[in-house]
Amino acid sequence: MNAITLSGLYKRFGAFVALDGVDLTIPAGCVFGLLGPNGAGKTTTFKCMLGLVRATSGTVAFDGAPLTPATFEHIGYIPERSVLYDWMTVREHIEYMRHSFARFDPSKAHALLEQLGVGDDRKRVRALSKGMRTATAVALAFARQPDILILDEPTSGLDPINQRTVLNLIINEAARGATILFSSHQIGQVERAAERIGVMQRGRIVLEGAVDDLKAGRKIVEGILPSETFAIDGFAANPNIDRIERSGRVVRAFVHQQPDAVAADLTQLGAGGIRVVDLNLEDIFLDAVSPGTSTASVVEEA
Ligand code: ATP
């Protein structure tokens, strides 16, 4: 069962195309991390999904059905910018949520606030630090115990301890059966929490899949060339190489199979210090959004 399905989501702001045909399927019970450079379209995707911005075309289905007011009972959303009311206290927000959502659990909200270091619920939101506001928004969203959580950079502005707490909350909610879609620029966090990822660039999904599958079999073969201008003509023609990066004397080849053969080629060319390393999610992300990933082109780094 798919919890969320986006099909051909397209959004234009005037002449600017923010979403250019987003297709995405998020299985039920999955933690899905959405990555992308600034301005890629992550927030716009979330807003279109929730009807906060009207998509120009395309469809969104939750559990196979279009969004209705009743669907919101099952969805928790943390927007990129706080939606808390400045003039209300944290306690008043808890009361407000209790009246608004049947499954909201005030004792869970208090426990989460305590855990995230927002101990005094009599404070007005305007008196909270940026990180405390985010922590409050997280506590309120998770206390609703929704089936689906859509979190737009939920750890932004949080200290490392609270970032870890929020990641653990995400993992625990998934263990409870919730589906979680979250965006973050902290790739290490996405790697820790997400089973699947999507990478957006210029309004499109340029890479999508299970983190383990995306990493499987892919390696980086790294070597040090005799000089910065040392010619490695012909190296890129090796069909096992997806892309080559050069930075100073260091050359890095992204390889999808037979890394040892590529390492041997590089040694033959005259490179030293050859290493074969696993790709981490940051490499996969950078590979997906850098130019020339579809052919084995050489990218010179600044
Ligand atoms: P970030 O990582 O910086 O938060 P993002 O991936 O969430 O970025 P969006 O906020 O979805 O990106 O923005 C995608 C593009 O759409 C950007 O170029 C942005 O300027 C543009 N955009 C978003 N909202 C509007 C709007 N209301 N009017 C015009 N352009 C908009």
Side-chain angles (χ1 to χ4, degrees), residues 114-128:
E114 191 70 41
Q115 210 178 334
L116 290 160
V118 189
D120 185 358
D121 67 2
R122 293 163 306 177
K123 273 194 177 172
R124 290 192 194 281
V125 166
R126 78 164 73 90
L128 298 178

Side-chain angles (χ1 to χ4, degrees), residues 2 6 24 31 34 117 149 154 194 211 278 292:
N2 292 321
L6 314 185
L24 204 56
V31 179
L34 192 60
L149 276 154
V211 175
D278 290 334

Side-chain angles (χ1 to χ4, degrees), residues 13-14 16-19 36-45 47 53 80 152-153 183 185 200:
F13 291 109
F16 178 76
V17 176
L19 299 184
N38 290 130
K42 303 177 295 294
T43 296
T44 306
T45 301
K47 286 183 175 169
V53 160
E80 192 179 27
D152 198 349
E153 297 186 40
S183 68
H185 290 294
M200 281 196 89

